Amino acid sequence: MNTNPHEFRGTTETQQITLRGPAELADALPFMLGFHPSDSVVLVALHGELGRFGGRVRLGIPRSSKEWASTAEQLAECLVDGCARRGTRPDGIVVFLCQDPAPGETGRHVMERLRPFSQRLRTACGALDIPVYEALCISDGLYFSYCCPDTRCCPPDGTPMALTGTSVMAASAAYAGIQVRGSLRDMEARLKPRPSWPGEEQQRKALNEGSILIVPKIFDGPPGVGRTEVREATLKLARDVLTRLGITSDGADATVSTPVTSSGRRDGTAEQDAADDASIGADEAAALILGLQDRDTRDQAAEWMEGREGAAALRLWRALARRCVAPFDEHAAAPLTLAGWVAWSTGDEPAARAALGLALDADPDYVFARLLHQACNEGLDPESLRSCLRHERESRAAAAVDDRVAARPAGSQDALPPTVEGEPEERTVKRARAVKVANPAKAVRRGRRGAGTGPGKIAPRPPRDAAARRGARRGTRRG
């Protein structure tokens, strides 16, 4: 039995779950993160006497043991500082080390190999005056405790994990509608070029040829002209592809979620990714990838972030990330960041963290990815950024209307504004009404038809009955 006297509680607005011992802690980890963390170190903060779950941080396990000391210090400081900014420092920490065995290894070999890293993490947390209540290694379907000395509950050869769906945490998560999205490795595989992909050489050739045509326009063309041309062409092509991806082949809405299999893999994801790849040509993918290297183009593309449009955009950015074959690996930072942003905007934080983490792997200095990754990890609300992007989109649409109005010949009766591609229909109607009011002749005619008086309206003529109208017609004959 674990000598740790604390009970760890996970709480939501509607229920409270009590976890007792390392077995239930190990089983609860995927439900806390939303996925099975493969090759990861995870630190979870605990608050109060009963150890209520708080903030958490995750990072890939460094391959070199020389980096373990600095990584342990950074992770401990990141978790403690993040909790302090949100109100309270943690009262304790739980450490998880998750890694599959290498060829020829067993779970116990992994546990022993990572033991020094576990000790570094415990020391780093202790240096901040915060104890580590439990440190677990999860490998090969087993869990090992670095803290529990009782071999009856934590034998040296490990303890098998609970069967999927049989624990109290699994039952509570199913009741609450929480789904585990499979392993982190599966999530990242949807965002990386597929190994031994038959079209790899064709895509590499398209990217090379596209670079010769597109990159000079962005950097060497006339000031503003080349970039504008590339931006307009890239966004138009992206809208065309979004139209293809917005509806599935059977006409169903692409935003409908797919069920999770017993292995954690979502049914249909591989088939959907293959269909998306087939619907985008190599030249199209190259033009989009290279065009998104321009910051303004990328920022406008980030406006496709909600509803059905956002679901189609997420599929497009994933497909483009899979097309960034070597030596164009760094170009994946833009589509990966957009994929992370759309996932975060639509409430899928695990997928957002996976995409943004890969974006930083592709280009550690990509500022947009760093800012989004930090905001997502700190639990900020994406609505502030969504509002900003909506405002930019509406301002650009209003400017297009103003340009159209200013370019109309004097006395023109054409008061309808241009249709902005990708704009909701109701917004176009509102702009049309606004431009009609700006036309004096039509404003007068509409004012006469209106009721009452007021700015921009003409007082209506009083209605007359039939007898009055007949009298008026006979008035001239009667003198």
Side-chain angles (χ1 to χ4, degrees), residues 303-326:
E303 296 170 2
W304 304 325
M305 58 188 172
E306 297 175 287
R308 191 171 185 175
E309 187 178 57
L314 181 57
R315 293 167 59 188
L316 173 59
W317 308 142
R318 283 173 174 162
L320 294 182
R322 292 193 293 269
R323 297 296 187 93
C324 293
V325 297

Side-chain angles (χ1 to χ4, degrees), residues 135-370:
L136 298 177
C137 177
I138 300 175
S139 179
D140 198 23
L142 305 171
Y143 73 84
F144 305 82
S145 174
Y146 291 114
C147 297
C148 180
D150 193 341
T151 58
R152 292 172 297 177
C153 64
C154 299
D157 292 331
T159 305
M161 299 284 292
L163 295 176
T164 302
T166 61
S167 66
V168 62
M169 189 69 179
S172 300
Y175 178 77
I178 299 174
Q179 293 181 340
V180 178
R181 302 174 185 275
S183 70
L184 178 62
R185 187 180 295 106
D186 290 338
M187 297 171 63
E188 291 180 341
R190 303 189 68 187
L191 301 165
K192 294 180 179 179
R194 288 179 292 172
S196 304
W197 177 45
E200 180 177 351
E201 188 57 39
Q202 182 183 3
Q203 186 62 66
R204 184 179 295 108
K205 179 181 178 182
L207 285 166
N208 279 318
E209 294 176 351
S211 299
I212 298 174
L213 298 175
I214 295 175
V215 174
K217 292 182 180 179
I218 298 177
F219 296 103
D220 302 329
V225 177
R227 290 183 65 187
T228 301
E229 178 185 350
V230 172
R231 179 166 61 252
E232 292 176 351
T234 302
L235 294 174
K236 183 180 184 303
L237 176 58
R239 291 189 192 99
D240 293 341
V241 178
L242 285 181
T243 302
R244 300 179 212 163
L245 302 182
I247 301 178
T248 59
S249 58
D250 59 355
D253 191 342
T255 61
V256 177
S257 60
T258 53
V260 180
T261 64
S262 58
S263 64
R265 176 88 172 172
R266 285 178 176 267
D267 283 335
T269 54
E271 292 78 2
Q272 185 184 78
D273 291 347
D276 293 344
D277 291 338
S279 65
I280 304 174
D283 293 336
E284 291 178 323
L288 290 172
I289 291 170
L290 295 169
L292 288 174
Q293 305 309 306
D294 176 62
R295 184 184 63 183
D296 293 338
T297 305
R298 179 208 65 198
D299 291 347
Q300 287 194 33
E303 296 170 2
W304 304 325
M305 58 188 172
E306 297 175 287
R308 191 171 185 175
E309 187 178 57
L314 181 57
R315 293 167 59 188
L316 173 59
W317 308 142
R318 283 173 174 162
L320 294 182
R322 292 193 293 269
R323 297 296 187 93
C324 293
V325 297
F328 295 90
D329 313 72
E330 289 187 0
H331 289 65
L336 285 170
T337 303
L338 289 172
W341 158 238
V342 176
W344 183 38
S345 176
T346 54
D348 191 351
E349 291 188 7
R353 292 190 183 97
L356 294 172
L358 289 178
L360 292 174
D361 289 342
D363 186 354
D365 297 325
Y366 203 70
V367 177
F368 191 30
R370 282 193 312 187

Side-chain angles (χ1 to χ4, degrees), residues 4 8 72 87-88 110 119 166 173 180 184 237 321 323 350 359 403-404:
N4 172 26
F8 308 103
T88 58
V110 175
Q119 187 60 38
T166 61
V180 178
L184 178 62
L237 176 58
R323 297 296 187 93
D403 294 341
R404 171 71 179 274

